[in-house]
Amino acid sequence: MSAIACYTYRIPLTNALPGPDGPISHRTGLLLAAEHPSGRTCWGEAAPLLGFTASLKTVTQAARDWQSEVNTLSADAAGHVTPYPSEAPGPLRFAIDQIGQQWAACEAGTSWHDWLNAGRSARSGNALWQTPEDRDMRQVLMALQAEHVSTIKVKVGRAPVEDDLDRLDALFASLPTGMTVRLDANQAWSVEQAHTICEAVQHRRALEYIEEPLVPDADLRAFVGDTSVPIALDETIRARGIDAVSDWPVAAFVVKPAWMGIRRVQKLAEQAGDVPVIVTSAYETGVGWRGTFATALQVTPPDRAIGMSTYQALARDIAWPPIPDAHGKLLTMAPGLFDNWTVDRDALEAVDRS
């Protein structure tokens, strides 16, 4: 019988996140540990986030249900686990998909890094932009560019449109040659507000795309067809599925493996055709971060930046050593990143299987 343990964690954030019931000051989640007969532990993280995914309580119950079904865990050469709860919440599928990859590596007698056939693959990351209050904006941007940051991601839609436009004008005026900008509205704008923004930025060559500009009940498909500004989808994919948007003329699909599962992201990438799939993190610990980064290397085009900087919001990690340079620099899949790490079990709380 394969021994599978389930733990919860709770770690502070450096800055609180906005949540549906008030600020979120701590990151909570679930870790699964599967003991392979070789003696290696295969770890997976389920990192739901209140307001965006199923609750931690729901994911934990689904994990218990899966544990009760597992008599003997196995994974094929592709890392696909049996039994697999295909209808389970996305965060749990993500954890199991991570375990499957590591289990397959154990079965092959190799490391997770070598099983991924990763070599020393690298990606540039996008950096979440915070307007500096006491430093020259141009100097800050040039310093980021010197650290291999190719893309700036700006959260918009949280302030009045006029304030967003003023902030964007200052950013584009200071942007070094070669850097691009992604705007993420998180479904904040009305159609009128979104058109106002698009008219103001449509001639900005450095603009890569605007992500999810419209409130959920607006006609996003019509808007995508009406505007000349590139539009990317994120929440819409999770809500409707790839089949519902496969013929939309969009610039990118933005996906979070931690909320969808690795296998589902891989399938989406196969269906996406020529539309690039941009992988982003979702405040995972170092356990889940590794699975997200591995997925990014598999599905995101090499010339597109990935979004892995949410890791910097964690005040500490439960995996050791910490992820180096996760805030947007050149991210490299070195062997040590995937094979020489441990989990601090003392920082975890075991979940009763009953």
Side-chain angles (χ1 to χ4, degrees):
M1 178 178 290
S2 303
I4 299 175
C6 185
Y7 305 92
T8 58
Y9 66 81
R10 185 174 187 270
I11 54 180
L13 297 170
T14 55
N15 292 291
L17 302 174
D21 300 322
I24 300 172
S25 61
H26 286 73
R27 191 67 170 102
T28 56
L30 199 68
L31 291 189
L32 300 182
E35 304 297 334
H36 188 268
S38 66
R40 287 162 58 181
T41 302
C42 303
W43 289 95
E45 177 178 0
L49 189 61
L50 189 63
F52 295 93
T53 67
S55 68
L56 178 59
K57 180 179 179 181
T58 298
V59 173
T60 301
Q61 183 57 56
R64 286 198 188 103
D65 294 342
W66 180 67
Q67 281 180 297
S68 67
E69 295 176 4
V70 178
N71 291 318
T72 301
L73 185 69
S74 64
D76 62 19
H80 295 170
V81 164
T82 302
Y84 188 73
S86 58
E87 299 305 316
L92 178 58
R93 294 196 305 269
F94 176 66
I96 296 171
D97 291 342
Q98 284 187 272
I99 288 173
Q101 291 185 356
Q102 296 163 63
W103 195 275
C106 291
E107 294 288 280
T110 188
S111 66
W112 187 17
H113 174 273
D114 289 346
W115 181 86
L116 289 165
N117 194 27
R120 291 187 62 86
S121 300
R123 287 291 189 279
S124 174
N126 66 219
L128 287 173
W129 179 247
Q130 298 289 337
T131 302
E133 297 181 358
D134 56 355
R135 296 178 61 190
D136 179 80
M137 189 180 299
R138 173 80 175 181
Q139 290 181 352
V140 172
L141 289 165
M142 291 184 68
L144 287 171
Q145 189 177 48
E147 294 178 338
H148 303 285
V149 174
S150 62
T151 303
I152 299 296
K153 184 169 185 175
V154 184
K155 291 289 187 178
V156 290
R158 301 176 180 178
V161 168
E162 295 76 12
D163 292 350
D164 275 338
L165 288 175
D166 289 344
R167 192 160 57 107
L168 293 176
D169 283 343
L171 174 62
F172 281 112
S174 303
L175 199 70
T177 301
M179 291 191 87
T180 58
V181 173
R182 296 169 176 171
L183 306 182
D184 185 3
N186 287 119
Q187 299 184 316
W189 292 324
S190 67
V191 172
E192 181 181 359
Q193 290 171 323
H195 274 303
T196 298
I197 292 285
C198 287
E199 289 173 4
V201 301
Q202 61 184 339
H203 299 301
R204 299 288 190 180
R205 294 184 179 181
L207 178 66
E208 187 174 348
Y209 55 69
I210 299 178
E211 185 179 333
E212 292 290 351
L214 299 187
V215 293
D217 59 351
D219 190 345
L220 181 58
R221 180 171 187 165
F223 183 85
V224 170
D226 288 343
T227 183
S228 61
V229 173
I231 302 297
L233 304 182
D234 179 356
E235 290 93 338
T236 300
I237 303 171
R238 295 201 304 274
R240 304 187 189 184
I242 183 66
D243 292 338
V245 299
S246 59
D247 62 341
W248 294 19
V250 297
F253 295 134
V254 181
V255 298
K256 295 175 175 61
W259 293 353
M260 299 174 66
I262 295 173
R263 289 168 61 173
R264 192 153 297 186
V265 168
Q266 291 170 336
K267 182 178 180 180
L268 183 149
E270 293 172 357
Q271 297 174 293
D274 294 332
V275 179
V277 174
I278 310 297
V279 166
T280 63
S281 60
Y283 302 95
E284 308 93 306
T285 71
V287 178
W289 191 97
R290 288 169 167 84
T292 296
F293 184 40
T295 308
L297 290 174
Q298 293 171 335
V299 305
T300 299
D303 62 340
R304 296 299 186 104
I306 57 177
M308 302 298 298
S309 59
T310 60
Y311 177 80
Q312 296 299 316
L314 306 180
R316 58 182 174 82
D317 198 358
I318 52 176
W320 186 263
I323 304 297
D325 300 333
H327 69 281
K329 298 181 181 180
L330 190 67
L331 304 169
T332 302
M333 182 182 267
L337 182 64
F338 275 74
D339 298 330
N340 299 318
W341 59 281
T342 59
V343 172
D344 180 8
R345 292 182 188 249
D346 291 337
L348 308 177
E349 182 176 342
V351 174
D352 189 346
R353 296 184 64 165
S354 61

